[in-house]
């Protein structure tokens, strides 16, 4: 069974004037089909305004479909009584690390979610420990979040989501504001949660390098899904991606251009190591 | 003509328990018409530094001279300075406030004293430059996607045609094409209008591709200052302070370790490609 299953999902943002007459309709999702299996790591790419965040917001019912269906963990998002279960099982992490942290001490911030839903104190403490550990931030438990670097703040935000013990984490450009080291810390933490705890990951990003770590990639263009496949399959189509305003990792592009210049480099190179091997054999 | 920073020091909340020494005696000379990149880990002082350049923040000690004039002189017109030195903030979308995108971009030039018509012309040009689809121009800026808001905010500063343009991480959240479009546009204005540009960025690839001079900040100090090739040759030191070199630079080092005589200082895709083709062609 799929953990996420979107069928002909449509979302329209409808703008009305003061009298309530429809002024304009923006179709942000246009008959989208997306499947994600439990434990999968899926990346979503697409130009600005292609509908990625709109899709993400459906996964924890911040938005509801205009048409079509969406099941999360086998539950229909349009059924009111499923709301709670779905929200609990699909945690969200957003772009700006500064808007997501509320408490003045790291461990309080991580415990905030479980406390809010009435988890007993002892259990909260356990969860806080476990989640901070899983993102490599346990030693900062008593620190003040505003003294942390961007990457550390994002990992605290992820720990806060983990403390709710969701089956799935949706990350909407979690590294857009981070320095190279912060980006690596966050991606490493996400990968570990996926591999060691089996958490399903949906990663929205504009950094092509980050996508290399995913099992599968969806590419969106003007509200539609236009490509789907493994990173290698998707990134071997350099020209198609460019048409959708996207790119490939710098190493993949270099390999592509060396190939075009006549060198015997295979298609779909993703990492430095692969290119070194191809060149040194 | 240039901007000179002489031992600029800045402390947040000095004399309190929260005192934070964000800039430590930074001295720099920014020549007219340079295209400069600034990199550094989060918290290294980049945003604090550039807010000094248009007088938004005042140094705790030290001096700044723009075209020979002391900007802290009591007769110096800081308002004028801010029109000449345009700053695109780190999260510029937080500063959108007008009812339509077009009005938002007109605000700066109108404030500068241009007529409605001239301001509109400037806004038109700027919105074109950032590649925002025309059908969105008369909508509210609050209904845009993250990347679209970013473009509007950048257009707002471009419309002012400043002498010096400072961009604080302008491409965060932009799609790859949008990133290239904005940086190409900035590079074009740098060439055609001889505009001085300072680009703060977390993308090592972007700075390698665009800037002629790269300043590395670490803990409130200038740690390195040179061409991208010179700076990225210190990639080990950069890693120690949370940064890195462009992907291709690492590749070149790995190839060299395998015994190939490639150029280890290549920092752009073009340089790497030329060097690899040359090495293999020569074999
Ligand atoms: N609150 C809103 N009201 C009206 N239209 C909206 C709203 N939010 C988004 N849109 C529109 O819906 C479309 C999809 O937006 P969405 O935020 O999902 O894009 P995105 O793929 O996440 O883009 P980005 O990469 O810039 O974050 C865009 O055309 C956008 O202008
Ligand atoms: N408003 C503020 N109040 C107190 N400290 C601040 C403030 N803004 C930044 N700082 C501190 O000053 C230092 C430099 O920050 P900043 O200039 O924002 O760095 P960067 O832009 O390189 O990430 C950091 O230690 C940061 O925590
Ligand atoms: Mg988005
Ligand atoms: Mg900053």
């Amino acid at each position: 069974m799929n953990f996420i299953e979107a069928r002909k999902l449509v979302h329209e943002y409808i703008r009305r004037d003061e009298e309530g007459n429809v002024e304009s309709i923006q179709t942000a999702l246009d008959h989208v089909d997306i499947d994600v299996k439990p434990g999968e790591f899926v990346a979503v790419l697409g130009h600005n305004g292609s509908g990625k965040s709109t899709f993400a917001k459906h996964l924890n019912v911040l938005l509801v479909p205009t048409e079509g269906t969406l099941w999360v963990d086998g539950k229909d998002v349009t059924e009111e009584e499923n709301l709670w279960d779905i929200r609990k099982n699909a945690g969200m992490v957003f772009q700006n690390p500064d808007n997501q942290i509320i408490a003045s001490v790291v461990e309080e911030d991580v415990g905030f979610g479980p406390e809010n839903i009435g988890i007993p104190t002892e259990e909260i403490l356990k969860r806080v420990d476990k989640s901070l550990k899983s993102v490599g931030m346990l030693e900062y438990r008593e620190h003040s979040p505003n003294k942390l670097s961007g990457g550390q703040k994002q990992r605290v935000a992820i720990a806060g989501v983990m403390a709710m013990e969701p089956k799935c984490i949706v990350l909407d450009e979690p590294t857009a504001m981070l320095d190279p080291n912060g980006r690596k810390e966050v991606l490493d933490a996400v990968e570990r949660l996926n591999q060691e705890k089996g958490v399903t990951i949906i990663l929205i990003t504009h950094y092509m390098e980050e996508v290399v770590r995913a099992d599968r990639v969806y590419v969106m263009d003007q509200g539609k899904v236009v490509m789907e496949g493994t990173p290698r399959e998707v990134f071997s189509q350099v020209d198609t991606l460019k048409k959708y305003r996207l790119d490939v990792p710098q190493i993949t592009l270099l390999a592509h251009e060396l190939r075009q210049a006549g060198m015997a480099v295979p298609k779909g190179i993703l990492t430095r190591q692969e290119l070194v091997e191809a060149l040194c054999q | 003509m240039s901007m000179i920073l002489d031992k600029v020091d800045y402390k947040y909340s000095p004399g309190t328990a929260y005192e934070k020494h964000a800039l430590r005696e930074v001295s720099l000379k920014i020549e007219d018409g340079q295209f400069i990149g600034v990199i550094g880990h989060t918290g290294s002082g980049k945003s604090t530094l550039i807010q000094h350049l248009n007088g938004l923040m005042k140094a705790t000690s030290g001096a700044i001279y723009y075209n020979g004039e002391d900007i802290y002189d009591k007769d110096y017109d800081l308002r004028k300075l801010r029109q000449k030195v345009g700053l695109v903030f780190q999260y510029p979308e937080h500063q959108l406030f007008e009812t339509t995108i077009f009005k938002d971009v007109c605000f700066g030039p109108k404030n500068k004293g241009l007529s409605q018509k001239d301001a509109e012309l400037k806004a038109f040009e700027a919105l074109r430059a950032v590649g925002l689809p025309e059908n969105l121009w008369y909508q509210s800026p609050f209904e845009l996607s993250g990347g679209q808001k970013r473009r509007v905010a950048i257009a707002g500063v471009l419309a002012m045609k400043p002498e010096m343009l400072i961009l604080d991480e302008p491409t965060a959240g932009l799609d790859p094409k949008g990133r290239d479009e904005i940086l190409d546009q900035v590079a074009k204005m740098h060439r055609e209008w001889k505009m001085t540009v300072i680009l703060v960025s977390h993308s090592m690839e972007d700075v390698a591709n665009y800037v002629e001079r790269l300043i590395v900040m670490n803990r409130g100090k200038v740690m390195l200052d040179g061409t991208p090739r010179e700076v990225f040759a210190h990639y080990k030191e950069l890693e120690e302070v949370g940064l890195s070199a462009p992907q291709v630079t690492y590749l070149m080092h790995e190839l060299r370790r395998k015994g190939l005589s490639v150029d280890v200082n290549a920092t752009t895709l073009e340089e790497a490609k030329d060097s690899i083709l040359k090495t293999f062609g020569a074999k």
Side-chain angles (χ1 to χ4, degrees):
Chain A
M1 201 182 67
N2 288 319
F3 184 77
I4 290 164
E5 195 168 311
R7 283 290 169 276
K8 299 203 167 67
L9 185 63
V10 173
H11 188 86
E12 291 172 344
Y13 290 104
I14 298 173
R15 193 147 43 107
R16 296 174 190 278
D17 62 15
E18 279 105 66
E19 277 109 57
N21 302 313
V22 174
E23 261 190 344
S24 71
I25 297 179
Q26 175 78 41
T27 307
L29 295 176
D30 190 356
H31 297 87
V32 164
D33 290 342
I34 287 181
D35 291 331
V36 179
K37 291 191 204 62
E40 226 183 346
F41 180 167
V42 169
V44 181
L45 303 179
H47 64 80
N48 291 132
S50 59
K52 304 177 300 294
S53 298
T54 304
F55 176 69
K57 286 175 189 159
H58 280 74
L59 297 177
N60 78 343
V61 211
L62 290 172
L63 292 174
V64 290
T66 310
E67 269 177 49
T69 48
L70 174 64
W71 287 273
V72 177
D73 200 14
K75 299 184 180 73
D76 185 340
V77 297
T78 54
E79 296 294 334
E80 197 91 20
E81 60 265 35
N82 289 336
L83 184 69
W84 195 240
D85 270 345
I86 294 176
R87 290 237 166 111
K88 208 179 86 203
N89 274 320
M92 299 277 273
V93 177
F94 298 99
Q95 188 182 74
N96 190 340
D98 294 318
N99 295 345
Q100 299 180 69
I101 293 182
I102 337 162
S104 55
V105 181
V106 165
E107 59 184 356
E108 280 172 23
D109 194 84
V110 177
F112 186 79
E115 191 175 344
N116 231 3
I117 57 169
I119 305 284
T121 312
E122 216 158 285
E123 168 71 13
I124 295 180
L125 291 177
K126 270 194 219 149
R127 287 193 186 188
V128 168
D129 255 44
K130 237 173 47 184
S131 355
L132 279 173
K133 209 164 153 198
S134 69
V135 296
M137 287 293 290
L138 192 58
E139 56 186 302
Y140 292 90
R141 58 182 309 158
E142 283 164 18
H143 283 230
S144 150
N146 55 34
K147 292 221 176 101
L148 301 177
S149 73
Q152 291 171 331
K153 282 185 200 163
Q154 280 302 56
R155 285 189 284 154
V156 171
I158 294 173
V161 168
M162 282 302 291
M164 301 294 281
E165 304 196 333
K167 294 180 184 158
C168 169
I169 301 186
V170 183
L171 302 112
D172 192 351
E173 299 188 43
T175 60
M177 295 182 170
L178 306 183
D179 58 29
N181 197 38
R183 284 207 299 265
K184 187 172 174 308
E185 285 171 1
V186 168
L187 257 285
D188 286 349
V190 166
E191 198 168 37
R192 233 178 11 251
L193 292 178
N194 177 249
Q195 287 176 356
E196 291 170 14
K197 317 245 173 221
V199 180
T200 307
I201 303 287
I202 313 286
L203 172 70
I204 297 173
T205 183
H206 290 302
Y207 289 109
M208 302 300 131
E209 275 75 17
E210 298 179 350
V211 175
V212 170
R213 307 196 192 197
D215 298 319
R216 225 147 44 77
V217 187
Y218 281 95
V219 176
M220 299 196 54
D221 180 68
Q222 304 198 35
K224 294 191 172 73
V225 170
V226 289
M227 289 172 90
E228 183 271 326
T230 63
R232 202 178 299 283
E233 287 163 357
V234 170
F235 285 145
S236 61
Q237 303 184 51
V238 179
D239 297 325
T240 315
L241 281 167
K242 291 206 166 171
K243 192 179 84 195
Y244 294 129
R245 303 184 58 87
L246 301 178
D247 208 344
V248 296
Q250 196 180 33
I251 293 297
T252 308
L253 190 59
L254 177 60
H256 177 76
E257 295 199 357
L258 290 174
R259 232 173 87 83
Q260 286 190 326
M263 288 188 65
V265 177
K267 258 192 162 178
I269 293 263
L270 293 181
T271 63
R272 287 200 314 255
Q273 203 190 341
E274 287 171 7
L275 185 52
V276 169
E277 276 164 21
L279 290 174
C280 291
Q281 52 172 299
Chain B
M1 298 294 212
S2 61
M3 183 175 273
I4 293 171
L5 278 70
D6 184 20
K7 294 196 179 147
V8 169
D9 214 78
Y10 187 81
K11 292 189 177 110
Y12 285 99
S13 323
T16 73
Y18 303 101
E19 181 174 301
K20 177 80 215 172
H21 204 163
L23 293 180
R24 295 168 189 267
E25 303 206 334
V26 173
S27 295
L28 282 173
K29 182 165 186 200
I30 298 165
E31 300 286 357
D32 246 8
Q34 275 188 333
F35 197 147
I36 301 176
V38 179
I39 58 176
H41 61 84
T42 44
S44 61
K46 305 180 297 294
S47 297
T48 307
L49 174 68
I50 58 171
Q51 288 177 73
H52 278 78
L53 304 185
N54 76 343
L56 267 185
M57 295 180 84
K58 187 164 190 283
T60 316
S61 68
I64 298 181
Y65 303 92
Y66 188 51
N67 296 337
E69 290 179 274
D70 180 352
I71 71 163
Y72 296 141
D73 192 284
K74 65 180 187 339
D75 296 326
Y76 193 85
D77 186 353
L78 280 175
R79 239 194 60 146
K80 281 253 159 59
L81 178 70
R82 280 178 208 139
Q83 289 173 359
K84 292 184 200 150
V85 180
L87 176 59
V88 178
F89 281 90
Q90 185 157 8
Y91 310 120
E93 44 275 30
H94 296 173
Q95 278 146 4
L96 303 175
F97 60 94
E98 286 281 6
T99 49
T100 76
I101 289 164
F102 194 74
K103 277 193 200 158
D104 212 290
V105 179
C106 283
F107 179 83
K110 255 170 79 183
N111 205 28
K112 196 174 167 180
L114 293 190
S115 70
Q116 178 70 22
K117 188 152 164 276
D118 287 339
E120 284 181 6
L121 275 171
K122 290 271 183 294
F124 191 85
E125 224 183 345
L127 280 166
R128 272 281 167 77
V130 298
L132 191 78
E134 219 162 309
N135 63 322
L136 297 175
W137 291 9
Y138 305 99
Q139 286 190 13
S140 156
F142 303 101
E143 290 173 1
L144 296 174
S145 79
Q148 290 166 337
K149 281 186 194 157
R150 174 62 53 96
R151 284 158 206 255
V152 175
I154 294 175
V157 174
L158 290 186
M160 307 267 287
K161 281 212 181 178
E163 295 171 2
M164 186 190 283
L165 175 66
I166 308 172
L167 302 136
D168 197 353
E169 297 180 31
T171 58
L174 291 189
D175 57 45
K177 182 86 181 297
R179 195 186 62 207
D180 293 349
E181 281 169 358
I182 298 253
L183 293 178
D184 284 346
Q185 189 61 39
V186 168
K188 186 165 160 234
M189 289 184 298
H190 164 71
R191 271 195 318 271
E192 292 179 359
W193 304 350
K194 308 270 176 284
M195 190 192 259
T196 310
V197 178
I198 299 183
L199 172 69
V200 179
S201 176
H202 280 322
S203 167
M204 304 303 129
E205 286 77 19
D206 284 350
V207 289
N209 280 334
Y210 287 93
V211 312
E212 56 191 303
R213 172 180 173 195
L214 189 53
I215 294 172
V216 184
M217 295 291 296
N218 181 38
R219 296 170 179 267
K221 284 189 179 155
V222 175
M223 176 180 137
L224 293 166
D225 184 349
T227 64
R229 280 174 83 87
E230 287 162 357
V231 168
F232 287 128
H234 296 268
Y235 68 101
K236 291 232 171 73
E237 286 148 70
L238 292 175
E239 282 171 14
E240 279 162 25
V241 299
L243 302 172
S244 66
Q247 288 294 317
V248 290
T249 308
Y250 288 104
L251 176 79
M252 300 309 260
H253 279 281
E254 283 163 25
L255 290 174
R256 173 67 72 84
R257 260 177 251 129
K258 295 270 181 183
L260 293 171
S261 62
V262 292
D263 171 16
V264 289
N265 289 325
T267 59
T268 66
L269 190 141
E270 284 307 314
E271 288 171 1
K273 182 174 139 189
D274 290 347
S275 165
I276 291 173
L277 288 175
K278 211 166 114 210
T279 307
F280 279 85
K283 260 211 310 208

